Amino acid sequence: MLEKNIAQLLNEQVNKELYSAYLYLDFANYYADEGLDGFAHWYEIQAQEERDHAMMIRRYLLDCGVRVTFDAIEKPDKSFQTAMDPLQAGLEHEEYVSSRIETIYAAAFGAKDFKTMQFLDWFVKEQGEEEKNADDMVKKMQLFGGDSKGLYMLNQELAARVYTPSATGPAM
Ligand code: FEO
């Protein structure tokens, strides 16, 4: 049985991952409206991955005998002026999510909850990748997004992203 505070933190994280999906779909809405369908596609896939993360944590909680509850999902509160803005907001958001995973990990460590620590190992690694992806997007936009040809090339590159279910993750 999980300690109550750890179960609560994980349950909150389910909501945060669903919010991440919602946020990235909002980014996709912006890019679709701007005619940048490759950027929109990239974030639609990112939203699918975030939903996977939510389902993985939900499944872990259920398997631990925890009653999962859902909160309201916050309205994405972002207005964008340039195609760079969502990329920077995405990097900041991933840094925040990493800090939440680390908080849960620290709580599990404090409680000697080795099972949850092992479960979260996948998320620690995943967050490293997510932060790197978000940082790469910002850097590429800084380097190449300054003119219409560069933006077109970036849009083409992002359009090629393929969704891969997080099957290697825990407790699907
Ligand atoms: Fe589920 Fe992008 O963190």
Side-chain angles (χ1 to χ4, degrees), residues 124-139:
V124 172
K125 183 167 178 286
E126 174 74 2
Q127 279 312 121
E129 290 171 10
E130 301 254 288
E131 282 191 49
K132 183 180 183 313
N133 288 342
D135 190 48
D136 283 352
M137 300 259 282
V138 170
K139 284 182 179 145

Side-chain angles (χ1 to χ4, degrees), residues 148-165:
S148 55
K149 191 174 173 191
L151 196 57
Y152 178 79
M153 298 296 284
L154 268 181
N155 191 59
Q156 294 292 97
E157 180 185 320
L158 296 178
R161 184 177 184 186
V162 175
Y163 169 64
T164 312

